[in-house]
Structure formats: C-alpha cells, structure tokens
Amino acid sequence: MRALLVVNPAATTTSARTRDVLIHALASEMKLEAVTTEYRGHARDLGRQAADADDIDLVVALGGDGTVNEVVNGLLHNGPDLDSLPSLAVVPGGSTNVFARALGLPNDAVEATGAILDALANRTERTVGLGLAAGTPGTEDESVPERWFTFCAGLGFDAGVVGRVEQQRERGKRSTHALYVRQVVRQFLEEPHRRHGVMTLETPGQDPVTDLALSIISNTAPWTYLGNRPMYASPKATFDTGLDVLGLKRLSTSAVARYGTQLLTSSPEKGPRGKHAVSLHDLTDFTLHSKAPLPFQMDGDHLGVRTSVTFTGVRRALRVIV
C-alpha cells in the first residue's frame, strides 16, 4: 500500500518526538511519504495531489479538525468517487478532534495509530456522508466557492466564538477549553442579534423557519466536546444520514443559561429543546439567509462573514479507515 501522511507540525497535542514515532510505526506497514504542512491550505493542496495521483491508496491526516478538513477538501476537489479516490485515515493531534472521536477512534495519537494499523490489517473501513456548503445563487455570496465539512458548520453565534478563539491563538494563547468558555461569554455580551434573530432557513417544499438567532448544522453527533464531555446539539445526526440543524430564536440571558445547561447535560437521547428551539433532522438541501452579515465557520475554522449559505448533505462521500 502506498500512503501519503500529511503532518501538521503545529498540532496542539503531539510533540515532534511523538510524530516521529508515529511516522516510523506507519512506515513499517506501508510505503509511506510524510509531508509536513508549511502554510494554511497546504494540507488541501496535498490532498488534491493525492486525489489526482494514480498510485496513492491512502491519505493519513495527522493533526486537528482543521487539518482533516483541508485534506478532505483536497481529496474531493472534483467530487466524491468511492471507486478511485484514496481512503482517509485520521490520527488526532488537535485540541478537540471531533471527527476522529465521532468515528470511534481513541483521542490519543499513539492509540489511534494502533487502531488504524489494526483496521488496515483487518481491511475494515466505513463510508461516511459529508456536508457541502456554497454561496447561494442570486445572492451577493453566490461567488463563494463550495467547501466540504466533516462534522459541523455554523452561521452566527458559534462562528463568532470560533473567530474570537482564532484571534486569541494568533496572539499566542493556547487552545484550551477555558479559552473557548471565555470567548463564549464575550461573544454573548457583544452579540448584536441575540434578542431578535435575523436568519431564515428555507427547505424545498417546507415553510421557512424565520427569526433564528443561532444555527448549528451537524453531520454527526456529538457536535463538539468540552474536555471529555460530549455535547449533542443534534443527537440524531449521523454519518449515514443527511444534515441536522439546531436553531435558536432567542439568545437572552435566561435562554442562553437554559440552552447552555441543556447542551452541557445533553446525551445521545436528548439535546436542547424548548419553545425557542428548532430541531430538524436528515436534511439534504436547505439555505440559510441573513438580513445582516454573520460570521461563518466550518469544522471549527472561521471563514469570514456570509449573508446566505446553501447546504447539501451528501451521503457516501468518502471511505475512512476505522
């Protein structure tokens, strides 16, 4: 087997020594080329090259969810093709590693590498669905290129939190769960649309859902983790169905306290609920429109502001080694 290992040297939870150990372990079982990323978007470029090559069977992403997202977008730059595209394997090296953990991999790079080697020896893999987001035709965002996401996207509040965390990291702060909590509080205090939502969700053949102040799009569950605590925004979301949406129509102090508590105590059977909460399951196509530009994120990466985004749930998009 010929494999490409894409290594993010800035991965939060792996040292250079650990990465060397993992590379040697993988190289002992396959013909491996290891490439260290040097700039933002490099992992996407490497994934594209692997997709276009004729001799790569597997791409291994060693890094966090951002690295995985880039590799996936590179692999699928011409769309899904289960018969010809390389498979993907993920070695978690970030601070949260939602995609790897949702696949059932250990949240430890060494243990996950062992699990991947076992899966390769046993020839076990699964096919997962992915989300696709693009600018909406006929809007000012129509020229925004489409982009894949593996586990979540968000327009509004949660994307604002992601943007604040990225700003803090650029200033040298470590990506910790305490950092995220502080930025949630700051985003809430400065959120201009928390009492009157400005988003509308449109689904073909359905009445529009109006006045949303928050929208979280999930491709799997959990939505994220706070330390080792999983948080389920849409408990029914899976890699085998379409996309799920959690929308909140109010972000007042009492509403945030209530829904925040529900997220912290959520489970595979129960997520946020209430008269201001909207939960939609297994959507294939829908669009979010906003009356004002709002921050947008995918897989934990802040992508600027948008006023309209069209989403597609694509089943059986990628083969993953697990």
Side-chain angles (χ1 to χ4, degrees):
M1 174 178 284
R2 291 180 61 90
L4 171 67
L5 173 63
V6 179
V7 181
N8 180 358
T12 310
T13 56
T14 55
S15 65
R17 179 174 295 178
T18 300
R19 290 192 290 271
D20 286 343
V21 170
L22 301 181
I23 289 171
H24 282 97
L26 292 167
S28 68
E29 300 295 330
M30 62 191 76
K31 190 169 183 179
L32 184 73
E33 178 186 4
V35 181
T36 299
T37 58
E38 299 176 354
Y39 53 87
R40 185 162 186 167
H42 194 182
R44 180 172 184 162
D45 293 342
L46 293 169
R48 180 190 295 262
Q49 292 168 19
D52 293 340
D54 296 326
D55 58 350
I56 301 296
D57 305 300
L58 172 69
V59 177
V60 184
L62 198 173
D65 289 310
T67 303
V68 174
N69 179 277
E70 286 193 14
V71 169
V72 168
N73 275 277
L75 284 171
L76 300 184
H77 73 101
N78 280 328
D81 188 340
L82 297 179
D83 293 327
S84 63
L85 287 178
S87 299
L88 173 72
V90 178
V91 178
S95 58
T96 311
N97 307 307
V98 179
F99 182 62
R101 293 161 86 172
L103 289 170
L105 289 167
N107 191 33
D108 175 85
V110 175
E111 291 184 11
T113 300
I116 290 168
L117 291 173
D118 287 344
L120 288 170
N122 295 323
R123 299 182 180 274
T124 59
E125 64 179 26
R126 65 175 295 186
T127 303
V128 299
L130 298 171
L132 185 65
T136 305
T139 71
E140 61 186 63
D141 289 330
E142 66 179 346
S143 63
V144 175
E146 64 183 24
R147 179 162 172 162
W148 297 90
F149 60 97
T150 63
F151 65 91
C152 84
L155 184 65
F157 184 87
D158 75 306
V161 174
V162 169
R164 289 173 181 274
V165 170
E166 287 190 4
Q167 288 178 349
Q168 294 299 313
R169 292 189 65 182
E170 289 172 359
R171 295 170 184 168
K173 299 291 182 65
R174 292 185 64 250
S175 179
T176 63
H177 301 293
L179 176 63
Y180 275 89
V181 172
R182 289 196 299 271
Q183 301 317 309
V184 167
V185 174
R186 289 174 180 171
Q187 180 67 25
F188 170 72
L189 294 175
E190 298 179 20
E191 173 60 51
H193 309 295
R194 69 182 190 220
R195 294 190 179 276
H196 302 287
V198 295
M199 281 181 282
T200 297
L201 187 151
E202 295 181 351
T203 306
Q206 304 291 328
D207 291 335
V209 181
T210 61
D211 303 325
L212 293 176
L214 174 149
S215 60
I216 295 172
I217 299 91
S218 294
N219 185 50
T220 187
W223 162 55
T224 190
Y225 292 81
L226 186 62
N228 290 321
R229 181 190 295 275
M231 299 174 68
Y232 295 85
S234 298
K236 294 181 181 179
T238 75
F239 288 127
D240 300 316
T241 59
L243 301 173
D244 283 25
V245 179
L246 170 67
L248 299 181
K249 293 195 171 190
R250 183 172 295 180
L251 292 175
S252 63
T253 303
S254 59
V256 168
R258 179 168 62 254
Y259 294 123
T261 300
Q262 290 178 354
L263 272 173
L264 288 170
T265 58
S266 58
S267 69
E269 292 77 36
K270 186 168 63 175
R273 59 219 172 271
K275 65 179 181 179
H276 299 301
V278 177
S279 295
L280 302 172
H281 175 58
D282 196 12
L283 301 182
T284 300
D285 298 286
F286 63 95
T287 298
L288 281 170
H289 298 286
S290 175
K291 298 175 184 176
L294 295 176
F296 180 55
Q297 68 88 12
M298 295 173 68
D299 287 348
D301 273 351
H302 186 267
L303 300 177
V305 296
R306 303 282 190 273
T307 56
S308 187
V309 185
T310 294
F311 295 90
T312 306
V314 182
R315 290 172 171 80
R316 294 180 55 78
L318 187 67
R319 291 180 294 124
V320 183
I321 303 299
V322 288

